[in-house]
């Protein structure tokens, strides 16, 4: 199929009102979800997932991608107006966004955040379109040994999502890998931790585990400490962003977008480090560097460009290799699987229409983000005023309906509640939930490819080193592990020095 | 609680869980055919490897917490309110269990309405009227969507059935 044929096939798939409506609704839901502190883009994507079951795969996935894109921008609104980032990715936006709001320039800061987000979104989407196909064609020559080494390397993602302690992240990942062994054995079909319950033979439901880990612990936290979220909302002020201001920050926006694309395409790094790196680079290069941190509009532009540049790029490893770039793309990967699609290089051959449909949808999402974001900036006050005592019970009910709808099975609701308590205990003990989820998804792929490789070679381990691709991934894994260990040793020394 | 204590507790917990898995859980609840040609291909291999790595991580956590004492962490809930917090968590657990038991008998919609109200009052809502109104509207809206748009067979229960 030629490039033009592929584009036309994609256009045929998404060129109707339903797909664009789903995308627009997704962006709106994402902006609202991201703008409510405590809800986050991750939870918004997870809660939207059950609504995609009745949709065609492309419409459902476009809805989720819309939520993802909207959620990342939405997080900047409370970051600027009430000094509370709606998502971790917006943490850097607080540095200059809130001081601008204090000066009565909130409207200007939010306008710049929107312009920078949309520009970075376009850059990120174009990078995805250019690089994903190339990477997928390379990955077509992969067999089980290559995929095993790739999955092993992908598990180093955990280092990026472990937060303060790598060991706690690793422990969380091990729990996820262990939970993924529940069900019938992949090769012999024997029972593993099913306790004779037929509901557990197919393994634990991904959506139940996901919503249990990410939504229910927030509700339990609210039960633990019902003190409502405080934060005075600032007015937008009279100032609005001008084209001249956008032009003067353009270099920082483009630089930040490419920083986001580069970091986003590496699994596990995520949007927050990209935003901070983009911000610090902008400060280093800017003639107004002494104003950074005191309400410099270029700082808002750089941090928003950095975090939005990540959004499209995290889809590069997902679509080309079948490896989620972060937690949200892990959820989107689950959505692909629920709709009977397996992300990875074969998708570029078997479902090229869906791939190009997604590309078209992503480009359109940047336009939707611009218009919906403009409205959301003005409507934030109403969103921020939703009482938490009403919002969280509603989220609980949404979780129950959503999880039940996956398999029409009450058992899944029980799994969700159980995982919610597990997630809450993890939260109290500061064990991050993201490594758990990523390992839960990658676990079966890792084991399956390992055992297939062993079957191919008659149980000889040398097959895992059979060619340049496996060596490449072994080397990458070794370099990453060494870097992680070195960072750990440095942190230990630093901690000791600080103590003395 | 000190960050260091948390780390030690987690490490010890990981080692205990790992020993339990290797000694009890895997031999009892993972079945393997007797004719597996190589241990690597056995259904027992992977869980055992994971359990062993979990023990290593647990040991690592204990060692690092001894080597690097962490700073004290502040609690988000005052000691006086901890009792109340645990009480609310216990009530939430009861609400969840009741929800599971009631769903097939009373139906998902009515159970959801009761769960909404109970949770709303448990988190000490300052908008009781809004909670009651939303408790009726949100489950009904979701019922209409899932039952009539998505075609999901929402449990109706044995008493009042919805169209």
């Amino acid at each position: 199929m030629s490039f033009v044929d592929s584009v036309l096939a994609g256009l045929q798939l998404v060129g109707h009102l339903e797909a664009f409506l789903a995308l627009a609704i997704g962006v709106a839901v994402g902006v609202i979800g991201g703008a409510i502190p405590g809800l986050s883009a991750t939870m918004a994507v997870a809660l939207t997932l059950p609504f995609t079951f009745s949709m065609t795969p492309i419409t459902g996935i476009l809805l989720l991608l819309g939520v993802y894109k909207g959620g990342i921008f939405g997080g900047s609104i409370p970051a600027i107006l009430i000094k509370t980032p709606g998502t971790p990715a917006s943490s850097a936006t607080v540095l200059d966004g809130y001081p601008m709001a204090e000066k009565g320039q909130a409207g200007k800061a939010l306008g710049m955040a929107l312009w920078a987000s949309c520009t970075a979104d376009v850059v990120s989407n174009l990078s995805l379109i250019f690089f994903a196909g190339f990477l997928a064609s390379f990955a077509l020559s992969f067999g089980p040994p290559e995929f095993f080494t790739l999955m092993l390397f992908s598990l180093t993602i955990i280092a990026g999502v472990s937060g303060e302690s790598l060991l706690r992240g690793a422990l969380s990942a091990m729990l996820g890998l262990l939970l993924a062994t529940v069900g019938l054995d992949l090769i012999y079909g024997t029972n593993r931790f099913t306790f004779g319950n037929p509901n557990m033979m197919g393994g634990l439901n991904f959506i139940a585990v996901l919503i249990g880990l990410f939504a229910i612990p927030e509700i339990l936290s609210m039960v633990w400490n019902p003190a409502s979220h405080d934060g005075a909302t600032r007015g937008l002020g009279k100032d609005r962003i001008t084209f001249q201001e956008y032009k003067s920050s353009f270099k920082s926006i483009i630089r930040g977008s490419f920083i986001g694309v580069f970091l986003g395409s590496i699994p596990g790094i995520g949007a927050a480090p990209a935003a901070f790196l983009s911000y610090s680079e902008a400060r280093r290069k800017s003639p107004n560097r002494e104003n950074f941190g005191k309400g410099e509009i270029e700082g808002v532009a750089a941090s928003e460009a950095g975090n939005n540049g990540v959004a499209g790029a995290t889809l590069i490893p997902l679509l080309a290799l079948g490896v989620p770039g972060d937690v949200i793309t892990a959820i989107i990967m689950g959505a692909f699987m629920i709709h009977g699609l397996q992300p990875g290089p074969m998708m570029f051959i078997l479902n090229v229409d869906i791939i190009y449909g997604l590309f078209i949808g992503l480009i359109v999402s940047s336009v939707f983000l611009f218009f919906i974001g403009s409205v959301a900036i003005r409507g934030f006050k109403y969103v921020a005023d939703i009482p938490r005592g009403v919002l969280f019970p509603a989220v609980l009910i949404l979780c129950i309906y959503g999880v039940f709808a996956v398999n029409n099975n009450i058992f899944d609701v029980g799994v969700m509640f159980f995982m919610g308590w597990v997630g809450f205990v993890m939260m109290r003990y500061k064990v991050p939930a993201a490594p758990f989820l990523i390992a839960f998804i990658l676990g079966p792929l890792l084991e399956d490819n390992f055992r297939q490789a062993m079957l191919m070679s008659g149980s000889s381990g040398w097959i895992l080193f059979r060619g340049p691709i496996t060596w490449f991934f072994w080397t990458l894994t070794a370099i990453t592990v060494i870097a992680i260990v070195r960072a750990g040793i440095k942190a230990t020394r630093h901690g000791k020095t600080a103590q003395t | 609680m000190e960050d260091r204590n948390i780390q030690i507790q987690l490490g010890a917990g990981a080692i205990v869980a790992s020993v339990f898995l290797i000694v009890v859980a895997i031999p009892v609840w993972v079945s393997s055919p007797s004719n597996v040609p190589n241990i690597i291909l056995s259904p027992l291999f992977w869980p055992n490897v994971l359990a062993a790595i979990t023990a290593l991580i647990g040991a690592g956590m204990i060692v690092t917490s001894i080597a690097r004492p962490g700073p004290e962490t502040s609690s988000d809930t005052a000691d006086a309110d901890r009792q109340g917090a645990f009480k609310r968590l216990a009530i939430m657990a009861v609400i969840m269990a009741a929800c599971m038991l009631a769903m097939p008998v009373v139906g998902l919609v009515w159970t959801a309405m009761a769960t909404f109200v109970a949770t709303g009052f448990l988190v000490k809502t300052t908008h009781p009227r809004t909670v009651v109104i939303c408790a009726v509207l949100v489950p009904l809206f979701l019922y209409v969507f899932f039952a009539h748009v998505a075609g999901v067979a929402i449990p109706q229960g044995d008493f009042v059935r919805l169209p």
Side-chain angles (χ1 to χ4, degrees):
Chain A
M1 208 184 248
S2 71
F3 175 73
V4 177
D5 290 338
S6 304
V7 172
L8 287 175
L11 201 59
Q12 199 176 8
L13 205 60
V14 294
H16 52 86
L17 186 66
E18 194 188 331
F20 289 119
L21 200 63
L23 194 59
I25 291 172
V27 173
V29 168
V31 171
I32 294 168
I36 299 174
L39 209 60
S40 83
T42 310
M43 210 205 284
V45 175
L47 293 176
T48 312
L49 182 52
F51 288 93
T52 68
F53 298 157
S54 59
M55 298 175 183
T56 57
I58 186 77
T59 311
I61 291 161
L62 282 177
L63 177 74
L64 294 178
L65 288 175
V67 177
Y68 180 21
K69 300 260 176 184
I72 298 289
F73 165 70
S76 67
I77 303 176
I80 291 168
L81 291 180
I82 57 173
K83 208 184 178 183
T84 308
T87 59
S90 311
S91 309
T93 311
V94 175
L95 299 175
D96 278 295
Y98 189 70
M100 282 185 75
E102 280 186 314
K103 288 182 200 166
Q105 295 179 325
K108 198 184 268 274
L110 286 165
M112 178 54 92
L114 182 64
W115 279 87
S117 296
C118 292
T119 310
D121 204 39
V122 171
V123 172
S124 190
N125 290 337
L126 291 176
S127 307
L128 167 70
I129 293 167
F130 288 130
F131 295 122
F134 169 72
L135 198 58
S137 60
F138 167 67
L140 275 173
S141 54
F142 286 17
E146 286 77 19
F147 269 114
F148 171 75
T149 50
L150 168 64
M151 294 300 157
L152 201 65
F153 167 63
S154 303
L155 278 178
T156 57
I157 295 172
I158 285 156
V161 292
S162 289
E164 292 169 11
S165 165
L166 179 66
L167 279 169
R168 288 183 202 179
L171 179 66
S172 174
M174 280 301 132
L175 293 176
L177 287 172
L178 278 165
L179 202 73
T181 62
V182 173
L184 295 181
D185 178 63
L186 302 164
I187 292 177
Y188 290 102
T190 53
N191 287 312
R192 291 204 300 197
F193 305 115
T194 59
F195 310 106
N197 187 336
N199 286 309
M200 294 177 78
M201 286 182 177
L204 295 178
N205 181 279
F206 165 74
I207 308 288
V209 173
L210 159 75
I211 293 182
L213 272 179
F214 284 91
I216 303 293
E218 296 297 334
I219 296 164
L220 293 174
S221 291
M222 176 82 182
V223 171
W224 176 261
N225 188 5
S228 62
H229 174 83
D230 294 322
T233 311
R234 302 250 165 205
L236 292 181
K238 284 181 183 168
D239 286 350
R240 294 287 179 270
I241 182 80
T242 60
F243 183 71
Q244 190 53 41
E245 283 164 329
Y246 173 69
K247 213 172 116 186
S248 62
S249 300
F250 191 70
K251 257 189 188 171
S252 290
I253 293 173
I254 293 298
R255 191 192 308 113
S257 306
F258 280 108
I259 288 172
V261 167
F262 180 69
L263 295 184
S265 58
I266 302 169
I269 293 187
F276 279 107
L277 184 60
S278 169
Y279 180 83
S280 65
E281 276 302 299
R283 187 169 58 180
R284 204 165 61 87
K285 298 261 166 76
S286 173
N288 306 325
R289 64 179 71 91
E290 63 282 355
N291 284 346
F292 275 66
K294 297 172 192 160
E296 171 59 44
I297 197 161
E298 202 178 341
V300 175
S303 52
E304 278 302 298
N307 66 33
N308 276 273
V310 167
T314 49
L315 296 172
I316 296 174
L318 176 73
L319 293 178
L321 303 171
V323 173
D326 62 4
V327 188
I328 301 182
T329 43
I331 301 169
I332 293 171
M333 184 173 170
F336 272 96
M337 290 170 170
I338 285 166
H339 286 284
L341 300 165
Q342 179 65 49
M346 287 308 286
M347 246 192 108
F348 281 78
I349 293 177
L350 299 174
N351 307 101
V352 73
D353 52 344
I354 291 185
I355 292 285
Y356 278 85
L358 287 177
F359 288 165
I360 294 165
L362 284 169
I363 295 286
V364 176
S365 73
S366 305
V367 180
F368 284 159
L369 178 61
F370 181 76
F371 289 108
I372 293 169
S374 307
V375 176
I377 288 170
R378 287 173 189 83
F380 173 73
K381 185 152 180 34
Y382 304 102
V383 175
D385 284 346
I386 296 174
R388 296 295 176 273
V390 179
L391 179 70
F392 280 89
V395 168
L396 176 65
I397 300 309
L398 193 57
C399 294
I400 295 172
Y401 271 83
V403 168
F404 175 82
V406 183
N407 289 324
N408 290 4
N409 193 347
I410 293 175
F411 179 80
D412 288 344
V413 180
V415 171
M416 174 190 76
F417 283 150
F418 176 75
M419 289 311 301
W421 286 98
V422 171
F424 179 69
V425 172
M426 285 168 65
M427 191 192 266
R428 298 292 307 168
Y429 277 84
K430 296 180 179 172
V431 178
F436 189 113
L437 184 74
I438 289 169
F440 184 72
I441 292 173
L442 292 181
L445 298 172
L446 189 73
E447 185 187 1
D448 197 22
N449 283 300
F450 173 75
R451 288 171 76 181
Q452 277 186 32
M454 290 300 112
L455 278 173
M456 279 167 63
S457 67
S459 304
S460 165
W462 287 111
I463 196 169
L464 301 176
F465 302 89
R466 73 172 179 180
I469 298 170
T470 54
W471 276 106
F472 173 72
F473 286 122
W474 280 118
T475 311
L476 277 184
T477 309
I479 291 170
T480 313
V481 169
I482 290 167
I484 291 166
V485 170
R486 275 187 65 179
I489 292 169
K490 261 188 187 173
T492 309
R493 280 185 191 155
H494 183 74
K496 274 184 179 171
T497 317
Q499 289 262 316
T500 54
Chain B
M1 203 187 326
E2 246 186 65
D3 201 47
R4 184 185 176 191
N5 287 347
I6 294 177
Q7 187 101 335
I8 290 173
Q9 282 179 21
L10 283 171
I15 293 171
V16 170
S18 159
V19 170
F20 174 76
L21 277 166
I22 292 169
V23 176
V24 181
I26 296 171
V28 175
W29 291 305
V30 179
S31 40
S32 173
S34 54
N35 59 346
V36 180
N38 195 312
I39 181 71
I40 291 176
L41 295 172
S42 166
L44 297 165
F45 177 72
W46 200 249
N48 273 307
V49 168
L50 297 178
I53 298 173
T54 305
L56 283 177
I57 291 168
M61 290 175 103
I62 293 173
V63 170
T64 52
S65 60
I66 292 166
R68 184 182 51 168
E72 287 240 356
T73 53
S74 59
S75 169
D76 61 343
T77 312
D79 280 345
D81 194 40
R82 282 180 78 84
Q83 212 177 347
F86 277 114
K87 213 181 265 180
R88 282 193 300 277
L89 277 185
I91 295 170
M92 192 68 215
V94 172
I95 292 172
M96 285 179 176
C99 174
M100 287 292 294
L101 294 172
M103 243 188 282
V105 183
V106 186
L108 180 49
V109 179
W110 308 113
T111 307
M113 286 179 185
T115 307
F116 196 120
V117 172
T119 313
F121 284 99
L122 185 65
V123 295
K124 299 176 179 173
T125 181
T126 47
H127 299 74
R129 273 188 210 156
T130 317
V131 163
V132 174
I133 294 166
C134 289
V136 175
L137 294 180
V138 172
L140 276 178
F141 167 76
L142 291 172
Y143 167 76
V144 171
F145 176 81
F146 281 108
H148 296 289
V149 180
V152 176
I154 297 290
Q156 291 270 23
D158 302 331
F159 303 105
V160 185
R161 299 179 70 82
L162 291 166

